[in-house]
Amino acid sequence: MTRSFGARATAAAAALASCSEALTLRPEAELELPLRLEDGHVPLFVRWEKYLGQDLSGVNFVQIGGNCGTNLPECAVGGDPIWEYATRFGWDGIVLEPVPQIFSKLSENYRPYPSVKPVQALVSNHSGVGRILDRAETSHEISLSRKKGVEVPTYTLQTLWKEVFGEDKKKVDVLVVDAEGNEPKILSGTFPEPKPKLVLFEIANLQAADLESIDANLKKEGYVLLENLRHQDEIGLTMAPQDALYGLRTDQSLPLALKDGHVPLFVKWEEYLKSMDGVNFVQIGGNCGTNLPECAVGGDPIWEYATRFGWDGIVLEPVPQIFSKLSENYRPYPSVKPVQALVSNHSGVGRILDRAETSHEISLSRKKGVEVPTYTLKTLWKEVFGADKKKVDVLVVDAEGNEPKILSGAFPEPKPQLVLFEISNLQQEELDSIDENLRREGYVLLKKLKHNDPIGLTMPPQDALYGLLAVSA
């Protein structure tokens, strides 16, 4: 009994030690972002936290062409994009390497990290068996009819997902491909489900035609190019970008993809704002609020951005029946507040014509029309939205002819960084007056914009975009 208990205790201790070695928590400093590398490790050329967020746990990945698996120069001349993250954050994935002697080193290096499975295989445009040259670090696929070389199991992306890793996952976050010239065969076909959120592949040795073919296929599969990346070692920094990173398009992917029937965007705010997050805006003349033709003939400059990025702002519309539709359309987006009001060169009460989509201000002495609360820019900021903000990023004015009354006076603080207003129906004298005032207030004309619907493109520019000098510099 004593011997049996002692043997079991020894075995249990050994198992516990082995488990402990594999599951030991990394020192907190090793998990701090951006990652600090050990001496001799190659500088990182991709920072996954930039694309996956600060929580890097629970990431699933597939790496095709892992070499021997570390982030040391002998395994990764320009740096391994997976090793530092997978080994520190316990990423779950597979690393494929077809060359036998390199695969042996790969397996040994990943042995302490059981969440990563090395796989000796090739990925191509066919499944079954493939043949590779077996020379040092090369793994070029060659014809099966060649006598030289090594036969290895071969997958397409779809069979790799189905038979090895991917199809059983709710998500695949990262696919990395560094396949010694096989990139076109791997990335030019149909992608498996779940599609990887991010695709990183080597482009340094691809011909232009191959790269264009991959780009066309990735876009067809729903991806958008995020960045061309340079290796950050001394030699890599002197060369053209060596890797391309694509992301699966989402509602927040830029440039924005629009739903069928939505009007093409005539202003791309990402060209003028540093970030799409935390944006504050004021829109004067929001109509019924969507980017559909029935609400915005030439396109609404706010809707697509405010509803996708959670912009915080107010949308003013004075016409009662249109305001009702505006309120309904923005109901699912609580960060946007519809306001039934007019903006002019006076505060208190104003009167508008109430005809279809028009909201022309008329004299209070007129009997016809609808009375609505009225603000100047200053009282709008003070009483409704703006004065309590550290910044206002965007002011949009489409006010049925009231633009001169709105934009010819003193601007409130904080001044909007960008001012977009309709110019198509303004007289030259009015436009000159607004321009003079905006320049006096510290703005500069950035661009005159055409609406990008078929009719708008045939006309002179319909909107003017000004930027606060501190922003445009």
Side-chain angles (χ1 to χ4, degrees):
M1 288 290 291
T2 305
R3 290 182 63 189
S4 174
F5 177 80
R8 289 186 183 186
T10 302
L16 183 60
S18 173
C19 180
S20 176
E21 180 183 1
L23 299 179
T24 297
L25 291 175
R26 286 275 184 171
E28 204 168 298
E30 289 193 19
L31 303 180
E32 289 178 359
L33 298 170
L35 295 182
R36 295 181 232 169
L37 305 187
E38 297 175 24
D39 290 343
H41 285 221
V42 186
L44 298 174
F45 68 91
V46 59
R47 301 279 183 173
W48 293 112
E49 62 269 26
K50 181 178 176 182
Y51 308 99
L52 294 172
Q54 297 293 303
D55 183 1
L56 292 174
S57 61
V59 171
N60 296 326
F61 76 93
V62 172
Q63 184 178 18
I64 297 169
N67 207 292
C68 50
T70 70
N71 189 36
L72 293 165
E74 55 263 32
C75 287
V77 175
D80 185 290
I82 291 293
W83 173 267
E84 304 286 358
Y85 289 88
T87 58
R88 300 190 196 203
F89 294 97
W91 284 10
D92 183 29
I94 57 172
V95 182
L96 288 88
E97 175 53 52
V99 180
Q101 69 270 27
I102 301 175
F103 177 75
S104 177
K105 295 177 185 176
L106 175 75
S107 298
E108 189 59 33
N109 288 330
Y110 268 117
R111 192 178 306 280
Y113 307 101
S115 64
V116 179
K117 178 186 176 183
V119 177
Q120 188 183 354
L122 180 72
V123 182
S124 187
N125 56 1
H126 63 94
S127 295
V129 176
R131 188 184 294 275
I132 59 164
L133 283 177
D134 183 8
R135 294 176 182 168
E137 294 187 9
T138 64
S139 57
H140 301 288
E141 184 176 16
I142 57 176
S143 170
L144 281 168
S145 64
R146 297 267 295 274
K147 291 182 179 180
K148 291 183 178 181
V150 177
E151 288 191 357
V152 291
T154 302
Y155 301 94
T156 63
L157 282 182
Q158 289 205 329
T159 57
L160 181 66
W161 254 237
K162 184 177 181 181
E163 298 175 24
V164 185
F165 182 97
E167 197 173 71
D168 59 326
K169 306 294 178 185
K170 290 182 179 179
K171 65 181 177 68
V172 175
D173 300 283
V174 176
L175 168 64
V176 172
V177 181
D178 183 353
E180 302 294 335
N182 250 32
E183 288 83 2
K185 292 182 181 178
I186 297 168
L187 297 172
S188 294
T190 303
F191 271 55
E193 294 289 348
K195 289 181 178 178
K197 293 179 181 177
L198 297 165
V199 177
L200 176 75
F201 63 98
E202 190 177 43
I203 61 174
N205 299 313
L206 292 180
Q207 299 296 313
D210 289 330
L211 187 53
E212 288 171 7
S213 173
I214 292 173
D215 177 76
N217 188 60
L218 285 169
K219 288 176 178 174
K220 185 179 70 179
E221 289 290 318
Y223 290 87
V224 59
L225 176 65
L226 300 178
E227 201 169 350
N228 284 325
L229 299 158
R230 290 176 186 270
H231 295 168
Q232 297 296 300
D233 59 305
E234 291 182 3
I235 296 175
L237 286 170
T238 66
M239 300 169 62
Q242 294 101 22
D243 284 71
L245 179 64
Y246 283 71
L248 195 57
R249 182 177 282 285
T250 67
D251 276 352
Q252 295 185 336
S253 297
L254 297 170
L256 296 182
L258 304 186
K259 295 178 182 177
D260 289 345
H262 284 220
V263 186
L265 299 175
F266 67 90
V267 59
K268 304 287 180 76
W269 293 114
E270 61 270 25
E271 295 177 5
Y272 307 98
L273 295 170
K274 290 180 180 178
S275 171
M276 294 296 99
D277 297 323
V279 172
N280 295 326
F281 76 93
V282 172
Q283 184 178 18
I284 298 169
N287 208 290
C288 50
T290 71
N291 191 36
L292 292 166
E294 56 263 31
C295 287
V297 175
D300 186 290
I302 290 293
W303 172 267
E304 304 287 357
Y305 290 88
T307 58
R308 300 188 197 204
F309 295 100
W311 285 11
D312 183 31
I314 57 173
V315 182
L316 288 88
E317 175 54 51
V319 180
Q321 69 270 29
I322 301 175
F323 177 75
S324 176
K325 295 177 185 176
L326 175 76
S327 299
E328 189 60 35
N329 287 332
Y330 268 117
R331 193 180 305 282
Y333 308 99
S335 63
V336 179
K337 178 185 176 183
V339 177
Q340 188 181 354
L342 180 71
V343 182
S344 188
N345 56 1
H346 63 95
S347 294
V349 176
R351 188 184 295 276
I352 59 165
L353 283 176
D354 183 8
R355 294 175 180 169
E357 295 187 8
T358 65
S359 57
H360 302 288
E361 185 177 15
I362 57 176
S363 171
L364 282 168
S365 64
R366 296 268 295 275
K367 292 182 179 180
K368 291 185 177 179
V370 177
E371 288 190 0
V372 291
T374 301
Y375 301 94
T376 63
L377 283 183
K378 281 196 164 186
T379 57
L380 181 66
W381 254 237
K382 184 179 180 181
E383 299 175 24
V384 185
F385 183 98
D388 61 326
K389 306 293 178 187
K390 291 182 179 179
K391 63 182 179 67
V392 174
D393 300 282
V394 176
L395 167 64
V396 172
V397 182
D398 182 354
E400 301 294 335
N402 251 31
E403 287 82 4
K405 292 182 180 179
I406 297 168
L407 296 172
S408 294
F411 270 54
E413 294 289 346
K415 289 181 178 179
Q417 296 177 27
L418 297 164
V419 177
L420 176 75
F421 63 98
E422 190 177 42
I423 61 174
S424 56
N425 297 315
L426 294 181
Q427 300 297 313
Q428 188 61 48
E429 183 180 352
E430 294 173 324
L431 188 54
D432 291 343
S433 173
I434 292 174
D435 178 79
E436 181 181 347
N437 187 59
L438 285 169
R439 292 180 187 278
R440 187 168 57 242
E441 290 289 322
Y443 291 87
V444 61
L445 177 64
L446 299 179
K447 199 170 185 180
K448 290 188 175 179
L449 300 157
K450 286 177 177 277
H451 294 171
N452 280 271
D453 59 297
I455 295 175
L457 286 170
T458 66
M459 300 169 63
Q462 294 100 31
D463 282 72
L465 179 65
Y466 283 72
L468 203 54
L469 274 170
V471 176
S472 59

